[in-house]
Amino acid sequence: TTYRQLNISKNLNDKIQDTGDVRLELCSRSLWTQFSCIGNEMIVNKTGRRIFPPLKVKITGLQPEKNYVIWVEIAAVSENRYRYQYQSCKWVKAGIGEPQDPQNKYIHPDSPATGRYWMTQIVSFDKLKLTNNKYPKLPNQVIVHSMHKYQPRFYILPVEDIVTNVEKQINPCKALKFEFKETTFITVTAYQNQNVSL
């Protein structure tokens, strides 16, 4: 499935709007879909666990000479905590959850890079790790809470400044945003649905 970014914010300047018809294609979509159909669960612990299937995308439509910062946000899609109901084999709401942690973004380490660079390879976020440690030590760790539902969101931001620290430049309101419904997952410390671990 290829998702197109159609809603570009009106407050962007012309230089950002001229990024063109940017598209993202989710790699390993069939595998993501299989997990999504049974209720995807993602293991999380203190040291951090990598997302499986890995988050990988193919990008087209960027301006070859323009520079872009790309990042993933692991966004909470519900204010609730969840629990697995074994009798019905499904996840159900179990009260109010924890608030979203601000450290929920992972900037691709190759940022910023030219559009040509991003489009000539698969853009992989396989070094991203999910942790439930409130004080993570590594920059590739994203804080999440167990038994909560999350949705990875991809952001692409054109930049003119390639010297300033990219963390100071990222602005979701000025970036193109993409998401794939099949990548939604619930964080667990141990698999609840046996079909996920098979």
Side-chain angles (χ1 to χ4, degrees):
T1 296
T2 300
Y3 278 32
R4 297 178 59 186
Q5 170 62 31
L6 297 176
N7 299 318
I8 301 176
S9 176
K10 294 182 180 179
N11 65 355
L12 305 187
N13 59 43
D14 291 339
K15 291 182 179 179
I16 294 179
Q17 288 184 3
D18 71 6
T19 52
D21 192 13
V22 181
R23 298 186 181 199
L24 258 67
E25 178 183 349
L26 179 66
C27 299
S28 304
R29 178 179 176 268
S30 60
L31 188 56
W32 277 106
T33 301
Q34 289 178 36
F35 279 106
S36 178
C37 289
I38 57 177
N40 203 358
E41 299 174 16
M42 210 65 66
I43 294 289
V44 58
N45 58 24
K46 296 291 185 183
T47 58
R49 288 285 295 267
R50 294 188 179 188
I51 290 177
F52 182 83
L55 288 174
K56 297 181 180 182
V57 295
K58 293 179 182 178
I59 305 175
T60 57
L62 300 177
Q63 298 295 313
E65 304 303 324
K66 189 179 289 290
N67 287 292
Y68 298 86
V69 173
I70 298 179
W71 72 93
V72 167
E73 173 190 26
I74 305 300
V77 296
S78 170
E79 298 178 350
N80 298 99
R81 179 186 300 274
Y82 289 78
R83 64 181 176 84
Y84 189 71
Q85 200 171 62
Y86 291 94
Q87 296 86 351
S88 58
C89 298
K90 65 180 182 180
W91 286 92
V92 296
K93 294 178 181 179
I96 301 299
E98 299 292 330
Q100 172 82 66
D101 194 281
Q103 191 168 330
N104 68 334
K105 300 174 183 66
Y106 172 74
I107 302 172
H108 195 285
D110 293 344
S111 296
T114 64
R116 177 176 290 106
Y117 175 84
W118 295 119
M119 292 188 295
T120 55
Q121 60 182 313
I122 292 176
V123 181
S124 175
F125 297 87
D126 59 337
K127 294 182 180 179
L128 184 160
K129 290 186 176 182
L130 302 177
T131 179
N132 54 5
N133 185 354
K134 293 183 179 180
Y135 306 101
K137 298 179 180 179
L138 301 175
N140 65 329
Q141 293 178 328
V142 171
I143 300 174
V144 293
H145 303 290
S146 182
M147 313 300 268
H148 287 61
K149 186 180 290 188
Y150 293 93
Q151 166 75 68
R153 293 175 180 161
F154 301 86
Y155 290 86
I156 301 177
L157 177 68
V159 293
E160 300 292 336
D161 184 354
I162 61 173
V163 178
T164 303
N165 188 307
V166 293
E167 291 185 9
K168 296 180 179 180
Q169 296 193 64
I170 62 172
N171 183 344
C173 295
K174 292 186 176 183
L176 305 179
K177 182 178 76 172
F178 305 82
E179 61 183 44
F180 303 89
K181 291 182 179 180
E182 55 264 52
T183 61
T184 302
F185 59 81
I186 291 180
T187 48
V188 295
T189 54
Y191 289 123
Q192 304 297 299
N193 183 347
Q194 64 176 0
N195 293 320
V196 175
S197 59
L198 292 178

